[in-house]
mmCIF file with all atom_site columns, all heavy atoms in Angstrom:
data_model
loop_
_atom_site.group_PDB
_atom_site.id
_atom_site.type_symbol
_atom_site.label_atom_id
_atom_site.label_alt_id
_atom_site.label_comp_id
_atom_site.label_asym_id
_atom_site.label_entity_id
_atom_site.label_seq_id
_atom_site.pdbx_PDB_ins_code
_atom_site.Cartn_x
_atom_site.Cartn_y
_atom_site.Cartn_z
_atom_site.occupancy
_atom_site.B_iso_or_equiv
_atom_site.pdbx_formal_charge
_atom_site.auth_seq_id
_atom_site.auth_comp_id
_atom_site.auth_asym_id
_atom_site.auth_atom_id
_atom_site.pdbx_PDB_model_num
ATOM 1  N N   . PHE A 1 32 ? 16.655 18.613 11.576 1.00 0.00 ? 32 PHE A N   1
ATOM 2  C CA  . PHE A 1 32 ? 16.113 19.122 12.835 1.00 0.00 ? 32 PHE A CA  1
ATOM 3  C C   . PHE A 1 32 ? 16.932 18.629 14.027 1.00 0.00 ? 32 PHE A C   1
ATOM 4  O O   . PHE A 1 32 ? 16.540 18.808 15.156 1.00 0.00 ? 32 PHE A O   1
ATOM 5  C CB  . PHE A 1 32 ? 14.662 18.643 12.992 1.00 0.00 ? 32 PHE A CB  1
ATOM 6  C CG  . PHE A 1 32 ? 13.791 19.123 11.913 1.00 0.00 ? 32 PHE A CG  1
ATOM 7  C CD1 . PHE A 1 32 ? 13.460 18.298 10.804 1.00 0.00 ? 32 PHE A CD1 1
ATOM 8  C CD2 . PHE A 1 32 ? 13.298 20.424 11.923 1.00 0.00 ? 32 PHE A CD2 1
ATOM 9  C CE1 . PHE A 1 32 ? 12.646 18.758 9.814  1.00 0.00 ? 32 PHE A CE1 1
ATOM 10 C CE2 . PHE A 1 32 ? 12.452 20.875 10.871 1.00 0.00 ? 32 PHE A CE2 1
ATOM 11 C CZ  . PHE A 1 32 ? 12.132 20.027 9.805  1.00 0.00 ? 32 PHE A CZ  1
ATOM 12 N N   . ARG A 1 33 ? 18.012 18.018 13.792 1.00 0.00 ? 33 ARG A N   1
ATOM 13 C CA  . ARG A 1 33 ? 18.883 17.555 14.934 1.00 0.00 ? 33 ARG A CA  1
ATOM 14 C C   . ARG A 1 33 ? 19.691 18.746 15.452 1.00 0.00 ? 33 ARG A C   1
ATOM 15 O O   . ARG A 1 33 ? 20.249 19.530 14.655 1.00 0.00 ? 33 ARG A O   1
ATOM 16 C CB  . ARG A 1 33 ? 19.827 16.478 14.438 1.00 0.00 ? 33 ARG A CB  1
ATOM 17 C CG  . ARG A 1 33 ? 20.641 15.855 15.588 1.00 0.00 ? 33 ARG A CG  1
ATOM 18 C CD  . ARG A 1 33 ? 21.534 14.745 15.011 1.00 0.00 ? 33 ARG A CD  1
ATOM 19 N NE  . ARG A 1 33 ? 22.484 15.277 14.144 1.00 0.00 ? 33 ARG A NE  1
ATOM 20 C CZ  . ARG A 1 33 ? 23.419 14.501 13.511 1.00 0.00 ? 33 ARG A CZ  1
ATOM 21 N NH1 . ARG A 1 33 ? 23.424 13.184 13.713 1.00 0.00 ? 33 ARG A NH1 1
ATOM 22 N NH2 . ARG A 1 33 ? 24.259 15.047 12.709 1.00 0.00 ? 33 ARG A NH2 1
ATOM 23 N N   . ASP A 1 34 ? 19.723 18.852 16.742 1.00 0.00 ? 34 ASP A N   1
ATOM 24 C CA  . ASP A 1 34 ? 20.423 19.902 17.405 1.00 0.00 ? 34 ASP A CA  1
ATOM 25 C C   . ASP A 1 34 ? 21.922 19.651 17.239 1.00 0.00 ? 34 ASP A C   1
ATOM 26 O O   . ASP A 1 34 ? 22.403 18.594 17.445 1.00 0.00 ? 34 ASP A O   1
ATOM 27 C CB  . ASP A 1 34 ? 20.099 20.037 18.876 1.00 0.00 ? 34 ASP A CB  1
ATOM 28 C CG  . ASP A 1 34 ? 18.657 20.421 19.075 1.00 0.00 ? 34 ASP A CG  1
ATOM 29 O OD1 . ASP A 1 34 ? 18.124 21.005 18.162 1.00 0.00 ? 34 ASP A OD1 1
ATOM 30 O OD2 . ASP A 1 34 ? 18.066 20.088 20.129 1.00 0.00 ? 34 ASP A OD2 1
ATOM 31 N N   . ALA A 1 35 ? 22.629 20.680 16.803 1.00 0.00 ? 35 ALA A N   1
ATOM 32 C CA  . ALA A 1 35 ? 24.063 20.582 16.660 1.00 0.00 ? 35 ALA A CA  1
ATOM 33 C C   . ALA A 1 35 ? 24.698 20.546 17.980 1.00 0.00 ? 35 ALA A C   1
ATOM 34 O O   . ALA A 1 35 ? 24.407 21.330 18.937 1.00 0.00 ? 35 ALA A O   1
ATOM 35 C CB  . ALA A 1 35 ? 24.612 21.731 15.863 1.00 0.00 ? 35 ALA A CB  1
ATOM 36 N N   . PRO A 1 36 ? 25.657 19.664 18.203 1.00 0.00 ? 36 PRO A N   1
ATOM 37 C CA  . PRO A 1 36 ? 26.368 19.637 19.499 1.00 0.00 ? 36 PRO A CA  1
ATOM 38 C C   . PRO A 1 36 ? 27.221 20.888 19.753 1.00 0.00 ? 36 PRO A C   1
ATOM 39 O O   . PRO A 1 36 ? 27.790 21.472 18.800 1.00 0.00 ? 36 PRO A O   1
ATOM 40 C CB  . PRO A 1 36 ? 27.280 18.402 19.418 1.00 0.00 ? 36 PRO A CB  1
ATOM 41 C CG  . PRO A 1 36 ? 27.520 18.253 17.925 1.00 0.00 ? 36 PRO A CG  1
ATOM 42 C CD  . PRO A 1 36 ? 26.227 18.675 17.270 1.00 0.00 ? 36 PRO A CD  1
ATOM 43 N N   . GLU A 1 37 ? 27.238 21.269 20.920 1.00 0.00 ? 37 GLU A N   1
ATOM 44 C CA  . GLU A 1 37 ? 28.035 22.456 21.273 1.00 0.00 ? 37 GLU A CA  1
ATOM 45 C C   . GLU A 1 37 ? 29.551 22.168 21.170 1.00 0.00 ? 37 GLU A C   1
ATOM 46 O O   . GLU A 1 37 ? 29.956 21.101 21.463 1.00 0.00 ? 37 GLU A O   1
ATOM 47 C CB  . GLU A 1 37 ? 27.714 22.885 22.718 1.00 0.00 ? 37 GLU A CB  1
ATOM 48 C CG  . GLU A 1 37 ? 26.255 23.356 22.913 1.00 0.00 ? 37 GLU A CG  1
ATOM 49 C CD  . GLU A 1 37 ? 26.004 23.838 24.307 1.00 0.00 ? 37 GLU A CD  1
ATOM 50 O OE1 . GLU A 1 37 ? 27.037 23.813 25.090 1.00 0.00 ? 37 GLU A OE1 1
ATOM 51 O OE2 . GLU A 1 37 ? 24.911 24.260 24.628 1.00 0.00 ? 37 GLU A OE2 1
ATOM 52 N N   . PRO A 1 38 ? 30.278 23.118 20.565 1.00 0.00 ? 38 PRO A N   1
ATOM 53 C CA  . PRO A 1 38 ? 31.707 22.851 20.453 1.00 0.00 ? 38 PRO A CA  1
ATOM 54 C C   . PRO A 1 38 ? 32.387 22.757 21.783 1.00 0.00 ? 38 PRO A C   1
ATOM 55 O O   . PRO A 1 38 ? 32.063 23.457 22.749 1.00 0.00 ? 38 PRO A O   1
ATOM 56 C CB  . PRO A 1 38 ? 32.220 24.046 19.645 1.00 0.00 ? 38 PRO A CB  1
ATOM 57 C CG  . PRO A 1 38 ? 31.188 25.113 19.928 1.00 0.00 ? 38 PRO A CG  1
ATOM 58 C CD  . PRO A 1 38 ? 29.882 24.404 20.072 1.00 0.00 ? 38 PRO A CD  1
ATOM 59 N N   . ALA A 1 39 ? 33.330 21.792 21.854 1.00 0.00 ? 39 ALA A N   1
ATOM 60 C CA  . ALA A 1 39 ? 34.060 21.643 23.142 1.00 0.00 ? 39 ALA A CA  1
ATOM 61 C C   . ALA A 1 39 ? 34.973 22.852 23.358 1.00 0.00 ? 39 ALA A C   1
ATOM 62 O O   . ALA A 1 39 ? 35.563 23.432 22.463 1.00 0.00 ? 39 ALA A O   1
ATOM 63 C CB  . ALA A 1 39 ? 34.972 20.424 23.028 1.00 0.00 ? 39 ALA A CB  1
ATOM 64 N N   . PRO A 1 40 ? 34.982 23.368 24.594 1.00 0.00 ? 40 PRO A N   1
ATOM 65 C CA  . PRO A 1 40 ? 35.780 24.561 24.881 1.00 0.00 ? 40 PRO A CA  1
ATOM 66 C C   . PRO A 1 40 ? 37.269 24.247 24.704 1.00 0.00 ? 40 PRO A C   1
ATOM 67 O O   . PRO A 1 40 ? 37.693 23.202 25.140 1.00 0.00 ? 40 PRO A O   1
ATOM 68 C CB  . PRO A 1 40 ? 35.416 24.859 26.335 1.00 0.00 ? 40 PRO A CB  1
ATOM 69 C CG  . PRO A 1 40 ? 34.975 23.548 26.939 1.00 0.00 ? 40 PRO A CG  1
ATOM 70 C CD  . PRO A 1 40 ? 34.270 22.835 25.794 1.00 0.00 ? 40 PRO A CD  1
ATOM 71 N N   . VAL A 1 41 ? 37.916 25.146 24.136 1.00 0.00 ? 41 VAL A N   1
ATOM 72 C CA  . VAL A 1 41 ? 39.375 25.043 23.919 1.00 0.00 ? 41 VAL A CA  1
ATOM 73 C C   . VAL A 1 41 ? 40.077 26.161 24.690 1.00 0.00 ? 41 VAL A C   1
ATOM 74 O O   . VAL A 1 41 ? 39.776 27.377 24.518 1.00 0.00 ? 41 VAL A O   1
ATOM 75 C CB  . VAL A 1 41 ? 39.760 25.129 22.402 1.00 0.00 ? 41 VAL A CB  1
ATOM 76 C CG1 . VAL A 1 41 ? 41.287 25.037 22.226 1.00 0.00 ? 41 VAL A CG1 1
ATOM 77 C CG2 . VAL A 1 41 ? 39.037 24.069 21.692 1.00 0.00 ? 41 VAL A CG2 1
#
Side-chain angles (χ1 to χ4, degrees):
F32 300 98
R33 185 177 64 179
D34 295 335
E37 297 182 359
V41 179

